[in-house]
Amino acid sequence: VKQRFTHGAMKTGELALIERIRRRVKTSGVKEPELRLGIGDDCAILQPPAGHEVLVTTDFSLEARHFRRDRHPARSVGHRVLARGLSDLAAMGAEPLAAFLSLALPKDVAGDAVWVDGFLDGLLELAEACGVPLAGGDTSESPGDAVLADITLLGSAPIGTSLRRAGARAGDLLYCTGALGGAGAELESLMQKPAQFAEATVQEKHPHLFPQPRLGVGWLLRELGLASACIDMSDGLSTDLAHVCAASEVAAEVEWGKLPVSPLLRRSSPAARERAVLHGGEDYELLFTASADRRVPRRLAGVSLNCIGKIVVKKRGQPKVMLVDADGKRRPLEPAGWEHLR
Amino acid sequence: VKQRFTHGAMKTGELALIERIRRRVKTSGVKEPELRLGIGDDCAILQPPAGHEVLVTTDFSLEARHFRRDRHPARSVGHRVLARGLSDLAAMGAEPLAAFLSLALPKDVAGDAVWVDGFLDGLLELAEACGVPLAGGDTSESPGDAVLADITLLGSAPIGTSLRRAGARAGDLLYCTGALGGAGAELESLMQKPAQFAEATVQEKHPHLFPQPRLGVGWLLRELGLASACIDMSDGLSTDLAHVCAASEVAAEVEWGKLPVSPLLRRSSPAARERAVLHGGEDYELLFTASADRRVPRRLAGVSLNCIGKIVVKKRGQPKVMLVDADGKRRPLEPAGWEHLR
């Protein structure tokens, strides 16, 4: 039941994986002055900028729940693990400080250098693009046959300035970044047939496989004091807008005709398009509110901003969110985000 | 393959678990001024004391790898999940700021209120005893039949003062806290027969089921400037001392006759006793070095300190650690910590 390992035996398993990660991190080129001590001691040491508060988020990425190894290329899995956490920092306008990866692999995957390197490629490429060092974590053999990852992200922002879900007021306008429904559309076609995915493919065209956390937009919204409330759309517009309304104790009206529909939904049926835009999560676009007297630019940090509705007073017994159709008909928009994969 | 959930369906699963945790956290009585925003937004917000650096550690606790549900009571599992992380903070002399729990449960366990409450009892009792708030995390359904937990701990210490593995110098004396081998002894008997474990049992007598992280000792060692290097013994004396020697580029001599043997090993064979004391991990005692001209007290924060050997110059081609037997015979002590459970 209990087994001793020799140092040699450990080398081939857990230690070998740690070594592989450490070697890759050393050569990944990310060097941040805030990271005082990285992988290799009992804890990592960070020194956030003076006058900043520290933001923390952790997110599971579990095979068969959040991704499938027969559908998602390893590089996409690594990218998505980190993107989930970075998107939470973006939603609060924070600058990333460091990432921590807990990774448990089944024995056959740990021994598959191509898969492990692909995973690390995806994670470290995004880390480098966003200037966030991988500062530590944990590794283990998975108890089953599923790849298990948990990512912790630390970020910082000047004290008291972080964007929150609470803060939207009746009269505020409602905005979103980028386009909606692309991740849902890509996931649907991915489930129908595995990705014929060339490593060189432009990542921007793959909102599900390679979502782009909106760190630049979030940072500017906070720095410019533009947003009164903000959240990232990981669960879908209907669910995440309900979170903002609940935290802010307000209601909202969304205009269908103003929603920026992803070009990936061009050929979809109206029903599929509506489902992906309103409820399809994992677009990782930002949803935010701003006072009606603030001028919100059409683009920020290279990303389009669209006004999609407004915040109204919450009335007892009334639905939190109403959807206004093109012909002016109003109907309640119930939270109905995707439960990802089963 | 992909399924939508209704809000109602989510209530009974993931949301219900989040609600249960949130309710328990609210009433757990831990209130820390450093925690500006806890569970409920995209990130938690912490404000570390001015002039402090931030320490971060993450640790998996996976069923069948780190614990067994047929052997470990739920309360012990929750306690051990948090203790692992707190012990890493103790090793560096940090004060805990906040904990983040990622928890994935198989469906039948998520529906077992007794197990979930026992787990939360164990985790939150230790959190409260150590003054660390549970500030966030993630929940999911487990993809297999194993309980999966990942704990992230944040702590802080005045800038540049954190204890590290590197820093031991030839001539320093080697110390450990408490007694060694107790966790190994208890694990062995636990594997032979499941714990007849009364909830009211004194926790101090259960070094494996309820290890006590040495936060008070670690904090004082750092505050008093006593330790030149420090590590927690999670993998066992032989393995963790090798880590200190490698990081500090020194060698060490351990005297068998000076090692504080756990009273739980009284009835064990000499071979079992030696194995548990030298290689049995999970005692979570601290191993530290101090300059020979510093007076190290016999007790600190209620825990005994024992001098168990000394640091010497590392010679090329020589083993890192030598064990000196009672009769003066010397032999190499190879790293051979436990691989916990299989």
Side-chain angles (χ1 to χ4, degrees), chain A residues 46 48-49 51-55 154 159, chain B residues 33-36 45-55 97 154-157:
Chain A
L46 297 165
H52 275 225
E53 57 196 21
V54 175
L55 293 93
L154 267 72
I159 291 169
Chain B
E34 289 86 3
L35 180 61
R36 295 298 158 120
I45 303 180
L46 297 165
Q47 195 174 321
H52 275 224
E53 57 196 20
V54 175
L55 294 92
L97 278 175
L154 266 74
S156 82

Side-chain angles (χ1 to χ4, degrees), chain A residues 1 4-5 41-44 46 54-56 58 60 63 68 91-92 102 138 143 150 152 165 191 339, chain B residues 1 4-5 41-44 46 54 56 58 60 63 68 91-92 102-103 138 143 150 152 165 191 338-339:
Chain A
V1 180
R4 294 174 61 179
F5 55 69
D41 213 306
D42 286 338
C43 303
L46 297 165
V54 175
L55 293 93
V56 190
T58 82
F60 265 138
E63 184 177 345
R68 283 175 53 169
M92 300 187 78
S102 289
D138 194 13
D150 189 39
T152 299
R165 295 177 179 185
M191 288 301 128
E339 199 181 10
Chain B
V1 180
R4 294 174 61 178
F5 54 69
D41 214 306
D42 286 339
C43 303
L46 297 165
V54 175
V56 189
T58 82
F60 265 138
E63 185 177 344
R68 284 176 51 170
M92 300 187 79
S102 289
L103 182 66
D138 195 11
D150 189 40
T152 299
R165 296 177 179 184
M191 287 302 128
W338 296 106
E339 199 180 11

Side-chain angles (χ1 to χ4, degrees), chain A residues 329-342:
Chain A
K329 261 212 316 248
R330 299 156 54 88
R331 54 182 165 122
L333 180 62
E334 296 294 341
W338 296 106
E339 199 181 10
H340 312 301
L341 316 166
R342 294 303 294 263

